[in-house]
Amino acid sequence: GFFPLQGHVVRNWKVRWFVLLQDKLLYYKIEGGKKEPTPKGRILLDGCTITCPCLEYENRPLLIKLKTKTNTDYFLECCSREERDSWALDITGAIHAGHPVQVQELHRMKNSFKLLENISLHNIVERMYDSSAGIKLTRNLDQGNRYKETFTGSSLVDWLISNSFAVSRFEAVTLASMLMDENFIRPVGVRSTEATRSSDPSEKFLDDSTALYMFAESSKKNTSSKEEVHFNISELSGTIVKQGFLVKQGHKRKNWKVRKFVLRADPAFLHYYDPTKEDNKPVGGFSLRGCLVSALEDNGVPAGVKGNVQGNLFKIITKNDIHYYIQASSKAERVQWIEAIKPLT
């Protein structure tokens, strides 16, 4: 799959195609819409340690960090928590291939708690911000420090249960821990901050009326410009249906770039982002109403497509007759995207 990877010399982000093998993680450069035959680099997994979730970059909360036995750090960014956890599980399995007990324990921990299918962390945060039904923010004093717009650990647990996001306090604490892991909320004050240093994941978030938390800076609503207000209120207000990395042909230069696509419903929009940029603003997007979407045959290069492309192409034609040519990483992924888009047109 595609992941933005941070460079070692120039600390910028480049999107690479990753292939996980039994003892190594290979990554390839994409040129002209096609994967180059020779790997750009490799991460040897023997003696590697993995950190997931990794919160070293506030604007990139979905990172996996790999540290090799030669102390080289690799940061890979995923599109969603589910994708991140799935890759982290597979990479950990490859690292500990000779230790099946550790792999079984990892599977047990991963499957011990699951979010309900109709709940996403992004939706929970949106509900938390609601002025009437959201979490109540208050001023709190902690060892002489006064914090604005905070909430207690126990009040968040109560709120999650009362809004049917969890059925027990244990589930609510687990859910609150996920919100903290994903950098949606952060601890403030001595008690809650010290708890994050616990080696036991179940004790990092405190169901306590003296433990203080607040929204993390990266998840605060930023409405400083008219453009952002426009996006937030209209196009970006829909429910996320699907997201992932796809390769898109440009309109002017006809070159191929990996973009992060986000499909939303109510209103139905498809936006795409440059995953190498630090901000989280779309570089393009369009309404899906009146669009036509179809798969393109892989036997030859269709008219309108430039370059020696890999295949798995599909096309979206907007009601204004703008043609978008997009590549998925596999035929199965192409089918999934087409089936997700069609009901929204």
Side-chain angles (χ1 to χ4, degrees), residues 109-325:
M109 291 178 61
K110 178 180 173 62
N111 295 324
S112 62
F113 176 79
K114 291 184 179 296
L115 288 176
L116 298 177
E117 290 185 359
N118 62 336
I119 293 178
S120 76
L121 296 181
H122 287 277
N123 288 341
I124 292 174
V125 174
E126 288 292 329
R127 290 275 295 276
M128 288 175 67
Y129 273 111
D130 189 278
S131 57
S132 59
I135 189 83
K136 301 303 180 187
L137 302 177
T138 60
R139 293 173 177 240
N140 281 284
L141 192 67
D142 182 89
Q143 293 196 356
N145 294 316
R146 186 176 295 278
Y147 297 99
K148 296 181 180 179
E149 297 186 330
T150 61
F151 48 87
T152 66
S154 58
S155 66
L156 178 55
V157 169
D158 292 341
W159 184 88
L160 290 169
I161 294 173
S162 65
N163 284 271
S164 302
F165 290 116
V167 298
S168 68
R169 300 195 79 80
F170 170 76
E171 287 190 3
V173 168
T174 306
L175 197 51
S177 299
M178 291 179 180
L179 292 171
M180 193 165 62
D181 284 344
E182 304 301 339
N183 210 28
F184 288 116
I185 64 174
R186 64 182 180 89
V188 290
V190 176
R191 183 157 167 69
S192 57
T193 303
E194 286 183 348
T196 61
R197 303 188 182 99
S198 172
S199 59
D200 187 344
S202 65
E203 297 178 358
K204 290 182 181 294
F205 180 89
L206 298 178
D207 178 10
D208 194 296
S209 61
T210 63
L212 301 181
Y213 299 88
M214 68 187 303
F215 289 112
E217 291 293 327
S218 61
S219 66
K220 284 186 178 178
K221 302 299 184 188
N222 183 358
T223 57
S224 58
S225 73
K226 293 181 180 179
E227 181 182 13
E228 288 174 359
V229 172
H230 169 73
F231 273 136
N232 287 332
I233 293 176
S234 57
E235 300 181 20
L236 302 181
S237 63
T239 302
I240 294 178
V241 175
K242 186 175 178 60
Q243 56 186 327
F245 294 112
L246 298 167
V247 189
K248 173 187 167 294
Q249 181 178 265
H251 291 301
K252 295 180 180 179
R253 296 178 60 189
K254 304 299 182 184
N255 55 346
W256 292 88
K257 296 287 187 181
V258 178
R259 294 290 181 250
K260 175 184 175 180
F261 279 79
V262 179
L263 177 64
R264 293 181 172 90
D266 300 323
F269 272 83
L270 184 62
H271 292 97
Y272 48 94
Y273 301 71
D274 185 345
T276 66
K277 303 298 183 184
E278 290 296 334
D279 59 22
N280 194 32
K281 299 176 184 177
V283 294
F286 51 91
S287 170
L288 290 171
R289 296 302 181 192
C291 285
L292 297 174
V293 57
S294 60
L296 298 176
E297 298 297 330
D298 291 340
N299 51 353
V301 179
V305 174
K306 302 294 183 181
N308 185 19
V309 296
Q310 195 86 7
N312 307 312
L313 283 163
F314 63 99
K315 177 171 68 172
I316 301 175
I317 305 175
T318 70
K319 64 180 180 181
N320 298 325
D321 200 34
I322 299 175
H323 293 226
Y324 290 87
Y325 295 97

Side-chain angles (χ1 to χ4, degrees), residues 22-77:
Q22 187 173 2
D23 60 344
K24 64 179 74 73
L25 192 58
L26 305 178
Y27 53 94
Y28 298 79
K29 190 176 180 181
I30 302 293
E31 280 293 335
K34 189 173 183 179
K35 175 175 71 70
E36 290 190 343
T38 305
K40 181 76 174 176
R42 67 192 65 212
I43 304 171
L44 299 179
L45 297 178
D46 180 38
C48 219
T49 58
I50 182 170
T51 303
C52 178
C54 171
L55 303 179
E56 293 191 22
Y57 292 88
E58 185 177 354
N59 292 333
R60 296 179 182 269
L62 296 174
L63 289 177
I64 296 173
K65 177 182 178 181
L66 295 173
K67 180 184 284 290
T68 67
K69 64 180 181 181
T70 58
N71 288 324
T72 302
D73 292 338
Y74 293 88
F75 294 91
L76 288 67
E77 185 179 29

